[in-house]
Amino acid sequence: MTEVRPEIVRRPLGATRDRADGYRHRLADPLPSPRDMLAAVVAGKLRPDKSQAALIPVHPERHAGFGSAPDTTSATWVGHATYVVRIGGLTVLTDPVWSDAILGAGSRLTPPGVEWDAVGPVDAVVISHSHYDHLDAATIGRLPRTTPVFVPAGLGRWFRKRGFGEVTELDWWEEAELGGVRFGCVPARHWSRRGPFDLCRTLWSGWVLSGPGHRVYFAGDTAYGPHFGQIGEAFPGIDLALMPIGAYEPRELLSHAHVSPEEAVRGCLDAGAARMATMHWGTFALSGEPLLDPLERARAAWRETGRDPADLWPLAVGEGRSLPPPGP
């Protein structure tokens, strides 16, 4: 069988999508049943020991890239799946969550690594999916309604109802451009829901940001799968992959939606990314693994690849780093 290479369809900024029957057909695996989830909660499998919370590294003074030159690309970890990415002169927020507590996720274990006022003007926001720990209404409400927002298909209505005028909805393998930076919507292996009656009514995705000199892949929430290799094929030369490494235990319940640390490293390699920065751990207690295990296991998995240790960015909350200037 001949493998079909994904096609990137360029769509104009402001394009919208709507699919009345939802996206359950995009699920790669069956979701755990409510009974299975309840049994795990009752058995304590989703309640980690929080005694290590004080050991989660927090270094808010290590910001990088704010106010830097347009050709500088940097990524600063705010917490969970929230990064401040500077690329092509734009400041882009990924899944912005500055709230102290999130429905279904509880209170933060660590404070936001960057104060809201320190971010400065936001040029664009990318959203991976509708779950409350990735789409936070309180944080979104702090943004000017003129802020360009890039969302997976079906989620634009949520933003337009709140007064946002520049909303771009994209399906997987579609792309739009803003200020010389291309925003590519790419597959993730996950699901979506915000209420009792909207299961998979909106799509879930990752994003590839392609600037003049660098390319950054934000994986969002995802399980492991062949999509990592497909993304690397469609977007060659990824300089940095922002990869989730937490919320993976118990595996029998969460392997359909979240990579393990070892799978995160494998996915980064599959995508051909030169570097990997960690996220989706140390902010909310969502699952059963010990709090520090994600970072320790990601470091061990990276060592086993034999790749340069400097190319793994195990960032502390509030820490940021810049990519080297592009070659000639």
Side-chain angles (χ1 to χ4, degrees):
M1 180 181 296
T2 303
E3 185 175 354
V4 178
R5 182 186 177 95
E7 293 183 0
I8 305 299
V9 180
R10 286 170 173 77
R11 296 171 59 84
L13 189 65
T16 61
R17 302 278 292 200
D18 192 13
R19 183 182 173 97
D21 59 346
Y23 294 89
R24 294 189 68 166
H25 63 289
R26 300 283 183 91
L27 288 173
D29 303 287
L31 297 177
S33 70
R35 176 178 294 182
D36 290 339
M37 294 299 295
L38 179 59
V41 170
V42 171
K45 293 183 178 181
L46 293 171
R47 292 198 301 269
D49 179 0
K50 297 183 182 180
S51 62
Q52 295 180 319
L55 301 177
I56 298 169
V58 179
H59 295 294
E61 72 279 3
R62 296 184 185 176
H63 299 172
F66 294 163
S68 57
D71 60 349
T72 298
T73 301
S74 66
T76 301
W77 190 38
V78 177
H80 205 49
T82 305
Y83 264 90
V84 181
V85 177
R86 287 279 298 174
I87 184 168
L90 301 184
T91 296
V92 182
L93 300 184
T94 67
D95 289 357
V97 176
W98 263 261
S99 292
D100 293 332
I102 294 294
L103 181 65
S107 299
R108 299 181 80 105
L109 302 172
T110 51
V114 181
E115 294 184 2
W116 179 260
D117 291 341
V119 175
V122 175
D123 297 298
V125 170
V126 296
I127 301 293
S128 64
H129 64 296
S130 67
H131 287 158
Y132 284 87
D133 58 321
H134 292 258
L135 177 56
D136 177 38
T139 301
I140 296 300
R142 302 172 77 169
L143 291 165
R145 297 307 187 262
T146 55
T147 305
V149 180
F150 296 84
V151 301
L155 199 50
R157 182 181 303 173
W158 190 93
F159 283 87
R160 289 190 291 271
K161 285 176 62 177
R162 286 158 178 80
F164 286 85
E166 295 199 45
V167 182
T168 302
E169 278 183 71
L170 298 178
D171 203 338
W172 296 346
W173 307 120
E174 294 181 337
E175 191 174 40
E177 185 171 324
L178 175 69
V181 176
R182 299 195 309 278
F183 292 71
C185 182
V186 295
R189 197 164 181 167
H190 203 62
W191 58 292
S192 67
R193 169 177 256 170
R194 283 185 77 82
F197 306 114
D198 67 343
L199 177 63
C200 297
R201 302 295 292 184
T202 62
L203 191 57
W204 47 94
S205 73
W207 292 91
V208 175
L209 311 182
S210 301
H214 293 111
R215 178 166 276 166
V216 176
Y217 166 42
F218 168 62
D221 249 3
T222 184
Y224 182 76
H227 60 288
F228 289 118
Q230 294 167 355
I231 291 166
E233 183 180 350
F235 293 93
I238 294 172
D239 298 283
L240 175 65
L242 310 178
M243 296 293 293
I245 61 170
Y248 52 84
E249 290 289 353
R251 292 308 286 155
E252 65 268 20
L253 292 180
L254 295 176
S255 62
H256 74 285
H258 295 152
V259 289
S260 67
E262 295 80 11
E263 289 171 337
V265 171
R266 194 185 316 159
C268 173
L269 301 185
D270 290 352
R275 301 164 191 83
M276 170 177 145
T278 55
M279 66 175 188
H280 206 265
W281 80 280
T283 308
F284 299 108
L286 300 174
S287 53
E289 71 271 5
L291 294 182
L292 298 182
D293 268 24
L295 194 60
E296 293 171 357
R297 287 175 56 172
R299 282 173 164 154
W302 192 265
R303 285 195 299 269
E304 290 180 3
T305 69
R307 297 186 55 173
D308 189 341
D311 290 336
L312 175 66
W313 293 4
L315 301 181
V317 175
E319 184 179 4
R321 298 186 189 179
S322 296
L323 290 169

